[in-house]
């Protein structure tokens, strides 16, 4: 079967034997250590036994702009980076909430780079609403906010290691008070930034 593992920091494999057509892919953000007892063999296998391992430095949250301000309507720019290049970034998440421990009853936005579509979580964070291109004027709404595209053909923008996404956010008056601004990026290998607080918005 498949014995793959992904860890944002490090993996260590000891006394692991792959044989008989088994497969394993190890991906880590910092290091992979193969210790005594690790062995991969195709002896007796009718299909190949495969093993791949690579270290992929985790992406980073660069900026959440603007931050530490107030207002009901604002165009935000979220910038993330991958050392492997912007094409390695697969998902960007932005969150307005008092904590990153919960995405319910929040303004929780998801950008899927592979489909170039933007989604907004519903109130219970159980379903994704919308599915529109960020350069369109389409939108999605929940009880906390409405997120819409910019109507610009150059959105998102990418250069070198960085990807920048611009979206318009209109907050509901009931979603009042100071909210933390969080950013999260995931790359195509499965390593990620984790939620990074980038500022606040009132």
């Amino acid at each position: 079967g498949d014995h793959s593992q992904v860890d944002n920091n490090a993996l260590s494999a000891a006394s692991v034997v792959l044989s008989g057509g088994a497969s394993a892919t190890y991906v880590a953000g910092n290091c992979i250590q193969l210790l005594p007892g690790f062995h991969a063999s195709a002896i007796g296998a009718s299909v190949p036994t495969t093993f791949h391992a690579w270290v992929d430095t985790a992406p980073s949250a660069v900026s959440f702009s603007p931050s530490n301000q107030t207002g009901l309507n604002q165009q935000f720019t979220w910038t993330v980076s991958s050392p492997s290049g912007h094409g390695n970034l697969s998902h960007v998440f932005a969150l307005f909430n008092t904590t990153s421990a919960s995405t319910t009853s929040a303004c929780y936005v998801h950008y899927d780079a592979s489909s170039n579509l933007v989604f907004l979580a519903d109130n219970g964070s159980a379903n994704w609403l919308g599915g529109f291109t960020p350069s369109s004027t389409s939108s999605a709404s929940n009880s906390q906010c409405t997120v819409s595209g910019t109507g610009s053909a150059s959105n998102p923008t990418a250069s070198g290691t960085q990807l920048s996404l611009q979206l318009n956010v209109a907050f509901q008056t009931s979603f009042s008070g100071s909210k933390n601004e969080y950013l999260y990026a995931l790359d195509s290998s499965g390593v990620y930034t984790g939620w990074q607080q980038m500022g606040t918005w009132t």
Side-chain angles (χ1 to χ4, degrees):
D2 186 351
H3 303 276
S4 298
Q5 296 289 331
V6 177
D7 191 275
N8 207 49
N9 183 27
L11 288 172
S12 181
S15 301
V16 174
V17 177
L18 298 172
S19 62
S23 63
T25 300
Y26 295 165
V27 182
N30 286 318
C31 68
I32 296 173
Q33 184 179 36
L34 302 181
L35 296 172
F38 179 88
H39 184 70
S41 171
I43 296 174
S46 58
V47 295
T49 300
T50 60
F51 169 67
H52 304 276
W54 69 88
V55 177
D56 179 14
T57 305
S60 59
V62 176
S63 63
F64 195 128
S65 178
S67 63
N68 305 315
Q69 297 183 30
T70 64
L72 284 175
N73 297 276
Q74 182 64 49
Q75 183 176 109
F76 290 95
T77 300
W78 303 309
T79 302
V80 295
S81 176
S82 170
S84 300
H86 63 80
N88 193 42
L89 294 160
S90 58
H91 299 274
V92 179
F93 300 90
L95 173 67
F96 295 88
N97 206 5
T98 54
T99 175
S100 62
S102 173
T103 55
T104 60
S105 300
C107 185
Y108 178 31
V109 182
H110 170 210
Y111 172 64
D112 184 336
S114 62
S115 63
N116 191 37
L117 294 176
V118 173
F119 302 88
L120 176 69
D122 65 8
N123 294 334
S125 196
N127 300 290
W128 290 111
L129 310 173
F132 59 88
T133 59
S135 60
S136 72
T137 57
S138 299
S139 64
S141 300
N142 63 17
S143 296
Q144 288 67 240
C145 66
T146 296
V147 178
S148 60
T150 60
S152 170
S154 59
N155 185 31
T157 57
S159 177
T161 62
Q162 294 189 351
L163 173 73
S164 294
L165 174 70
Q166 299 85 37
L167 291 173
N168 298 309
V169 180
F171 297 102
Q172 307 295 341
T173 54
S174 57
F175 191 55
S176 61
S178 179
K179 310 299 179 184
N180 295 327
E181 298 172 322
Y182 298 101
L183 198 54
Y184 186 118
L186 178 74
D187 75 10
S188 58
S189 299
V191 294
Y192 53 89
T193 61
W195 284 116
Q196 303 294 313
Q197 184 177 342
M198 309 297 288
T200 61
W201 190 268
T202 302

